[in-house]
Amino acid sequence: MELGLVGLGRMGGNMRERLRRAGHTVVGYDRNPGVSDVGSLKELVERLSAPRAIWVMVPAGDPTRATVQELADLLDDGDLVIDGGNSRFTDDRQHADILAAQGVGYVDCGVSGGIWGLEVGYGLMAGGAKEHVERLMPIFDALRPEGPRDEGFVHAGGVGAGHYAKMVHNGIEYGLMQAYGEGYELLAASGIVDDIHGTLKAWSRGTVVRSWLLDLLVRALEQDPSLAEIEGYVEDSGEGRWTVEEAIRNSVPAPVITAALFARFESRQDDSPAMKAVAALRNQFGGHAVKAAGPTSGAGDTRT
Amino acid sequence: MELGLVGLGRMGGNMRERLRRAGHTVVGYDRNPGVSDVGSLKELVERLSAPRAIWVMVPAGDPTRATVQELADLLDDGDLVIDGGNSRFTDDRQHADILAAQGVGYVDCGVSGGIWGLEVGYGLMAGGAKEHVERLMPIFDALRPEGPRDEGFVHAGGVGAGHYAKMVHNGIEYGLMQAYGEGYELLAASGIVDDIHGTLKAWSRGTVVRSWLLDLLVRALEQDPSLAEIEGYVEDSGEGRWTVEEAIRNSVPAPVITAALFARFESRQDDSPAMKAVAALRNQFGGHAVKAAGPTSGAGDTRT
Amino acid sequence: MELGLVGLGRMGGNMRERLRRAGHTVVGYDRNPGVSDVGSLKELVERLSAPRAIWVMVPAGDPTRATVQELADLLDDGDLVIDGGNSRFTDDRQHADILAAQGVGYVDCGVSGGIWGLEVGYGLMAGGAKEHVERLMPIFDALRPEGPRDEGFVHAGGVGAGHYAKMVHNGIEYGLMQAYGEGYELLAASGIVDDIHGTLKAWSRGTVVRSWLLDLLVRALEQDPSLAEIEGYVEDSGEGRWTVEEAIRNSVPAPVITAALFARFESRQDDSPAMKAVAALRNQFGGHAVKAAGPTSGAGDTRT
Amino acid sequence: MELGLVGLGRMGGNMRERLRRAGHTVVGYDRNPGVSDVGSLKELVERLSAPRAIWVMVPAGDPTRATVQELADLLDDGDLVIDGGNSRFTDDRQHADILAAQGVGYVDCGVSGGIWGLEVGYGLMAGGAKEHVERLMPIFDALRPEGPRDEGFVHAGGVGAGHYAKMVHNGIEYGLMQAYGEGYELLAASGIVDDIHGTLKAWSRGTVVRSWLLDLLVRALEQDPSLAEIEGYVEDSGEGRWTVEEAIRNSVPAPVITAALFARFESRQDDSPAMKAVAALRNQFGGHAVKAAGPTSGAGDTRT
């Protein structure tokens, strides 16, 4: 079928390619003319036959909001917009309402797979009305991995459910990554296991912890056996934060996901104000040495 | 080759079967005569030709210690004992010394795979001397999953390294399971995603969180869609605790693995003394209602 | 000076009393005619001479919002409203704007002290314009504990700063309470310390952990030595949640405050969906027994 | 009464002074002749009249063990040794047995108070036999703060109970300090509260979070308003670790105390191997930029 695709970055560009390989007609638009098929959103809309379907794959927040608003003005009754970006699920209701006012349908779709999706396919979680999701099934089937449809695609619920599912997916992802990270660090610190890379690789089959993330960690250690070239500095995108916020809103204890999020915050701090305060307190009550500058020892008497 | 196997429970029994299917001669001993091939450890030893190899697969702690001690008395110079149970890595040095005094070699081997190992194979992590590990390779090759050897087996290091690797494996496992558990609970609590089972199943391929544990969770939800028949009561074996103890001994922050361990402790408490104290404090400073018995509301004024 | 006081519950009633003892003229309004000095907000406003000051002490959220809106309609240029309730700091800007449109000033004030405030005084954190805060100093001085003003009162910053400070205060409070609770539980669980109440009481002077909360815990144990009459069920008001949300918004790691919040969530769960999922997983991979109903053992083989 | 005191460091030196001020005769021994009253342990023992009482105040572990062993050889039936250092409670049974073989009694005593103890007094938690503890009451009464005895001293239980109580005290202390630290960091990060020092000081009276640690934090901020001269690098002594180990041994969830301990571990890491692994994973699946050296941005696309 015919699809408009807005945003041709790392994700959008690969998705255009995967869809074309599957025989679909994709007209892509990006602000970068070097990758764009058309010169403007307006031109994109004109190039598609009604009823149109346009997939938005731009950064969450203002860029997605602006694109949806612009499309609302350009599209007609019966057209369909899909937000495949990492929008917060609370944005979806607003986007749907803006478009509905013009008779345009809306589907939100969580997309997982990263740079591997072009070859392996993308895990998809869609939210929206049944008729809208059904219309897009040829696209979903082309993007998702081969094999049974329900192992790579779900119609998770109404508008917002797709992004909600993706948000939770990413929250879980934070926890999984941190669990492997902690285990790796302990293996490295203890000095008891000589072959750390080999140990992780031996977990690839048969063990309880086998997973795609484990395979990727083995791969990373093949390339850099002690991760010497990588700093332990980890960004977070929105989904981890939103997952914890949602956990709180729903009174759901989420200690693992939250610990993984906080570990990322810590990884980006040069010095911790909280630990300055703790060091100051120890100095106040126990006369314990505090460190003024470089990493000298400063152990001191620890009796309190 | 020929192998003695002590302990024919859920794990040992399946391992005997898998080894026999691979053409090895296994003489098994268990206190339960219904499954045992011989009537005593002594008879087991007599049935094997020197140099013997005997795999111990009994509960960690006293049972393993007693078995090792008894074998030390029965075996001869050049024989070999493998502890495939879930012993603490600190036991291995003692076991090795006891056996070495009789000229008997020792290998510790972490085994992962659970009830699936019979068909899929077991992930194996061995610790010990090179010549001992090499002698056992036919056994390891039969037990591990098919495919490249290094994806299912590792000689992790000296005596104790196998159990250490398995301990960390299980610590990671705790973290992974808890991450999925938290995500599942949030999906269930929010009411935004209608098809929770379908959502988890759609993560099976292509997504970042795909794993064997995810597949098992999907399977569990197929059998019991809201897990209504299962109580949220979770035992822990030793490895999770030992992992946290080792993290502390090595000054390694392990917030995710530890949170997963504590969640299990909490799952087994009918009432929490800590939270009794917190409730008592709120009552003391704010006059907040406390609950004396059944689950009534007791919200009260929360101003403090 | 003259003060209108809206809300005469546990907090507001005591504050009226403390202010009157200090010689101020307080006209109180409450929907409960049994405690109210006047029959309506309108009558309250009429009873005060301009420029008026009216302290709002009603539950956060809709009740406070409605009161502020009603007061905006009743008050005149030069009057002043103080929100002393537990509003989220983000509400303050809105309240200030609503009132400013009528020429009415606004101060937010975090109030701590609970049921002890009547006798001991209340810790106060004010946010707003300098001239507004200064006009209210006689009231603040009457409400705060005796002693140096800066040990019981702060003008923390602009509109919202008072509630922000109170929010963080309560977040810290959650962490402190949980720390004592965990320590208490460990003492009780270990069986090594015979005199738990005496131990906590012995910390009252001289030790690093001495605090008012510790004194209250000692008091609670005097009344109920094993806290047998209290269920470990703990509500949370908004501030703990908001503190964690703010920590996330500011990329501040807050593991202790968050753990304390989650412990409260857990304390209110009859069964944990997350732990159901974990139990289901253990059953799937290891054939570990799951608990179907009452608290039977269900340990099973833990080898994985 | 007469007391021998071994170890005249920061704690022991002040304790000698406080005991002398109270009229007791203290003979102190330290390896540092500049502060020691005698030239050897042997001389110390000779200087005291039987039945002797000797208080050991040296670092936990080997130094304490060696001192106890040496005293066992020097002392006589009816003498008494007190370990006031920060020994692990599991050492106490061994020390008691070594001494009991010579007819010498043993009391363990947790001591809190830091450098303030000289003036304010020390919080004391004693473990041992009733008759031994009673013999030492004049010493305990001189060391503890003025006021009711039970607010500064407890006979917590048998041998080991004193150090156990002190261990839990320190575990709680870790949690309290971290709670204040996190609150401080949030106030500093948000930029909404202008007067952070003033806010903490205003909590000194009347609020729920008032405590001695809060007073010390206010004091530290008076000396260094943004803690600019202190690095967020925090040592830990043994008690925090032992508390978590004991929590695990007793299946007691201790998320707050453990988070506080891990925060200290993190504070001492230049780079985190766990976060290197997480960064490597993000790079593997999403092509996210990793940081190779200095703190450049490296945000990149976060879509996964």
Side-chain angles (χ1 to χ4, degrees), chain A residues 60-170:
Chain A
D62 289 337
T64 295
R65 198 166 299 121
T67 304
V68 166
Q69 185 62 63
E70 202 176 341
L71 286 172
D73 297 338
L74 293 168
L75 292 175
D76 292 325
D77 195 60
D79 288 344
L80 197 46
V81 169
I82 309 99
D83 177 9
N86 272 334
S87 297
R88 199 178 197 285
F89 73 99
T90 40
D91 290 348
D92 291 314
R93 193 66 262 163
Q94 300 171 41
H95 296 167
D97 289 346
I98 289 168
L99 292 162
Q102 310 296 324
V104 178
Y106 179 78
V107 167
D108 57 286
C109 186
V111 179
S112 180
I115 53 180
W116 298 75
L118 172 58
E119 302 304 335
V120 177
Y122 301 91
L124 303 175
M125 300 136 254
K130 191 155 182 277
E131 67 271 22
H132 295 151
V133 171
E134 277 175 0
R135 229 168 89 192
L136 295 163
M137 280 315 303
I139 298 297
F140 293 141
D141 279 336
L143 288 173
R144 69 171 176 82
E146 289 181 33
R149 180 187 281 172
D150 64 353
E151 295 183 2
F153 171 83
V154 68
H155 179 192
V159 165
H163 279 137
Y164 201 92
K166 179 58 167 35
M167 177 194 77
V168 175
H169 166 281
N170 281 33

Side-chain angles (χ1 to χ4, degrees), chain A residues 303, chain D residues 1-39 44 47 55-57 111 114 117-119 122 139 142-143:
Chain A
R303 212 167 287 145
Chain D
M1 64 181 270
E2 213 180 57
L3 185 78
L5 182 53
V6 182
L8 301 167
R10 193 154 29 182
M11 291 289 284
N14 280 346
M15 289 164 70
R16 176 174 61 177
E17 175 63 17
R18 186 169 172 94
L19 287 167
R20 284 180 175 164
R21 287 187 193 171
H24 294 293
T25 303
V26 183
V27 184
Y29 168 69
D30 196 279
R31 287 184 310 178
N32 172 5
V35 297
S36 191
D37 301 321
V38 292
L44 176 80
R47 284 271 297 274
W55 188 294
V56 179
M57 207 67 197
V111 180
L118 171 58
E119 302 303 334
Y122 301 91
I139 298 298
L143 288 173

